[in-house]
Amino acid sequence: MTKIIFMGTPAFSAPILRMLVEEGYEVISVVTQPDRPVGRKKVMTATPVKEEALRLGLPIYQPEKLKNKDELQHVLDMDADLIVTAAFGQILPGELLEAPKLGAINVHASLLPAYRGGAPIHQSIIDGQDETGVTIMYMVDRLDAGDIISQVTVPIEEQDHTGSMFEKLSIAGRDLLKSTLPSIIEGTNKRIPQDEQLVTYARNISREQERIDWSKSAAAIYNQVRGLHPWPVAYTSFNDATVKIWWTKKASSSAKGQAGEVIELTDDAILVQTGEGVLAITELQPAGKKRMTAKDYLRGPKIQVGDLFE
């Protein structure tokens, strides 16, 4: 049988690992990120892929850095025929990519060569795209630059956000790998070089990208909010304090104001003037408070027409 090492970390990757086992492939090891402290109490928490591997009874390896000589050698000594990665979270050394006789493949959540990098789902929504997809590709010693093996397109609906698209693309990636893997093992699969002229990047989200610029259009801010939902979450400032904006909707109002100004309060929304159009804040999280609906927030005298988000 073909000996496979699976490398992945978040919930996106878990259904893909489960499919490999259910289809009878020999997964000789699951490589995932080390347990990390999570939350205010810093509770050491396993990755979703580790939890899935434990349920499946698979061997687990958690290297801190595969660039470390001893940790790299440990994986090389497994002598895998194929490496399958899906959102692993570390760059694989060239020596490791070249070791398996069938190579190393990656399940990447974009239609390459668009959105190479670590945040393709976030960025495609922030950019207002109406579709994205999954690419299975050979891995090379350059970021997401290997030959394409197969792709599938997945629509982005108006109400979709990063969380919902992670789920959709995880299932799409699982099914695409299921149909593609036999040809990879048999050596009959396609290899399509990427067009370098069409390359775009989706780097990991920075803190600056999370901050709302109210001079932008309502449509752009709406896409930003859903592209950062449910993590890391867009934010703004109000009365010199940070306010997370969890959800918004496009709106209209006869009132006008400067960008960031509260122009109207309804029973369940805070209407804010943007650089172009009006946006209704429907869920938010004031500093030091829990996430709440605008309706709950407005029960207290916390905000008035004319106040300014910055």
Side-chain angles (χ1 to χ4, degrees):
M1 292 182 67
T2 302
K3 295 185 296 181
I4 296 174
I5 293 174
F6 180 81
M7 297 184 172
T9 296
F12 172 87
S13 315
I16 299 170
L17 171 61
R18 187 163 57 249
M19 179 278 294
L20 291 173
V21 174
E22 290 175 348
E23 290 298 304
Y25 291 104
E26 184 181 4
V27 180
I28 60 173
S29 184
V30 174
V31 181
T32 189
Q33 298 278 38
D35 296 4
R36 304 290 188 197
V38 174
R40 292 182 178 179
K41 295 184 178 180
K42 304 298 183 183
V43 177
M44 292 300 292
T45 304
T47 71
V49 163
K50 179 180 180 179
E51 292 177 350
E52 186 66 31
L54 288 170
R55 282 192 289 268
L56 296 169
L58 297 172
I60 299 165
Y61 184 52
Q62 295 177 273
E64 190 65 45
K65 289 289 183 184
L66 279 174
K67 290 184 177 180
N68 177 283
K69 183 178 180 181
D70 291 339
E71 293 181 320
L72 172 60
Q73 190 60 50
H74 183 84
V75 179
L76 290 171
D77 288 344
M78 295 179 191
D79 192 28
D81 298 312
L82 177 68
I83 293 174
V84 177
T85 72
F88 174 49
Q90 291 187 34
I91 295 174
L92 273 57
E95 184 179 358
L96 181 57
L97 298 178
E98 296 170 2
K101 68 179 183 181
L102 295 176
I105 63 172
N106 183 35
V107 182
H108 182 76
S110 83
L111 296 173
L112 292 171
Y115 297 116
R116 292 179 181 178
I121 301 175
H122 294 81
Q123 198 63 54
S124 62
I125 298 173
I126 290 170
D127 289 349
Q129 300 289 346
D130 57 12
E131 66 177 22
T132 183
V134 176
T135 301
I136 296 177
M137 51 166 282
Y138 281 107
M139 300 180 72
V140 295
D141 203 9
R142 286 175 54 216
L143 181 66
D144 298 328
D147 290 348
I148 294 168
I149 303 169
S150 59
Q151 291 184 315
V152 63
T153 299
V154 179
I156 301 174
E157 305 294 342
E158 178 72 11
Q159 292 296 311
D160 272 324
H161 49 75
T162 288
S164 65
M165 289 308 299
F166 257 79
E167 294 177 6
K168 291 181 181 182
L169 291 167
S170 175
I171 299 307
R174 177 200 68 187
D175 294 346
L176 183 63
L177 182 63
K178 180 179 177 179
S179 63
T180 303
L181 201 48
S183 69
I184 295 172
I185 293 171
E186 295 163 7
T188 58
N189 61 282
K190 297 177 181 178
R191 293 192 70 134
I192 305 169
Q194 294 187 42
D195 186 342
E196 293 295 326
Q197 294 183 343
L198 300 178
V199 171
T200 59
Y201 289 95
R203 305 294 187 186
N204 290 336
I205 299 297
S206 68
R207 182 63 172 167
E208 185 58 33
Q209 286 177 284
E210 298 168 25
R211 187 180 186 96
I212 294 173
D213 178 355
W214 293 100
S215 69
K216 293 184 177 180
S217 70
I221 298 171
Y222 173 74
N223 290 335
Q224 178 187 9
V225 169
R226 65 193 187 110
L228 299 173
H229 177 97
W231 71 91
V233 186
Y235 75 95
T236 187
S237 294
F238 180 69
N239 289 340
D240 296 322
T242 296
V243 179
K244 292 184 178 180
I245 304 300
W246 281 87
W247 200 249
T248 63
K249 63 182 180 180
K250 297 172 186 177
S252 60
S253 175
S254 58
K256 298 292 181 184
Q258 63 177 303
E261 184 178 347
V262 176
I263 58 172
E264 188 177 338
L265 300 173
T266 68
D267 289 340
D268 59 0
I270 303 165
L271 273 60
V272 183
Q273 180 71 51
T274 72
E276 181 183 340
V278 177
L279 198 67
I281 298 172
T282 57
E283 290 186 66
L284 68 164
Q285 184 176 358
K289 303 291 185 179
K290 293 182 178 180
R291 174 182 175 182
M292 65 183 74
T293 64
K295 183 175 183 178
D296 287 340
Y297 180 75
L298 290 169
R299 285 175 178 163
K302 301 177 180 70
I303 195 167
Q304 299 177 12
V305 171
D307 287 343
L308 200 64
F309 287 104
E310 297 178 319

